[in-house]
Amino acid sequence: MNRLLVLVVLSLLPLWALAQDGLAWDQLSDEQRQLLAPFEQNWGGLPPKRQRDLLRGAERWQRMSPDERTQAQQRAQEWRERSPEQQAQIRERFERFRDLDPDEQRALRDRFSDFQRMPEERRRQLREQFRNRPPGGFRQGPPPPGGMPPPDGVMPPPPGGPAGKSPR
């Protein structure tokens, strides 16, 4: 038991050292140095967490297929072309998504999958409706069964008629 504990502690020492002081550039493998070459000059000054994040990214890159790499490069280019305001808005949306509970995240992913399966023309219509929605949005009540708004983008009044009035 003690031997196992000693082996575990010794195997974790390099990770602990990285967490404390970072990793020197010359401790990286040749492939890691090649992938991270743009960071060579500043590597020693990067916080250890940033170094770990970059190393994890390099590892992910190594596992990607050529098609996945091409797609990642295209997405990175699209990101660079966005304004700082657009990037901030995307980051804020991502944080709001991460704050959702797992069931809400799953429901949102399901709705996005539903949207992706729609014909392109329908998706274009919905995007246009979204861009032109009133400041308060479309909803006046709970979402309809199936989660998608009706084709015209206007939600029916909640059960019982308009707010504060009962049907006669």
Side-chain angles (χ1 to χ4, degrees):
M1 178 70 168
N2 285 342
R3 279 186 177 169
L4 179 61
L5 181 61
V6 169
L7 287 174
V8 168
V9 169
L10 289 176
S11 67
L12 294 176
L13 279 177
L15 291 176
W16 179 80
L18 175 60
Q20 301 304 309
D21 300 326
L23 193 62
W25 182 257
D26 59 359
Q27 291 177 294
L28 301 179
S29 71
D30 291 339
E31 192 168 10
Q32 287 172 325
R33 284 195 299 266
Q34 182 181 1
L35 285 170
L36 298 171
F39 301 96
E40 181 178 9
Q41 296 301 315
N42 299 324
W43 185 259
L46 293 174
K49 181 184 180 329
R50 179 73 172 134
Q51 288 181 355
R52 287 191 307 273
D53 290 345
L54 289 167
L55 285 168
R56 275 195 291 275
E59 290 168 7
R60 258 194 330 268
W61 182 262
Q62 291 168 330
R63 291 190 304 266
M64 286 182 185
S65 69
D67 287 343
E68 290 170 325
R69 288 180 181 185
T70 299
Q71 187 177 33
Q73 288 172 328
Q74 289 170 345
R75 288 182 177 168
Q77 180 62 36
E78 289 170 5
W79 179 258
R80 286 188 298 269
E81 291 171 358
R82 294 182 186 276
S83 71
E85 293 81 16
Q86 289 172 317
Q87 291 177 0
Q89 185 180 37
I90 291 168
R91 285 186 186 105
E92 191 271 331
R93 284 182 187 161
F94 179 71
E95 288 302 318
R96 284 192 353 233
F97 178 80
R98 282 184 31 182
D99 290 342
L100 296 174
D101 70 55
D103 289 337
E104 291 173 313
Q105 288 181 3
R106 193 173 308 105
L108 193 55
R109 284 187 186 107
D110 290 346
R111 289 183 70 188
F112 182 71
S113 293
D114 292 345
F115 179 80
Q116 293 294 90
R117 285 191 296 271
M118 290 180 183
E120 180 58 38
E121 178 59 24
R122 178 68 180 132
R123 291 194 314 241
R124 188 195 61 72
Q125 290 171 347
L126 288 172
R127 285 186 190 107
E128 188 64 28
Q129 288 174 3
F130 180 78
R131 283 185 203 104
N132 296 324
R133 73 189 185 285
F138 294 123
R139 288 210 175 123
Q140 296 177 3
M148 295 303 293
D152 64 0
V154 177
M155 296 298 295
K165 296 184 180 178
S166 60
R168 293 187 179 166

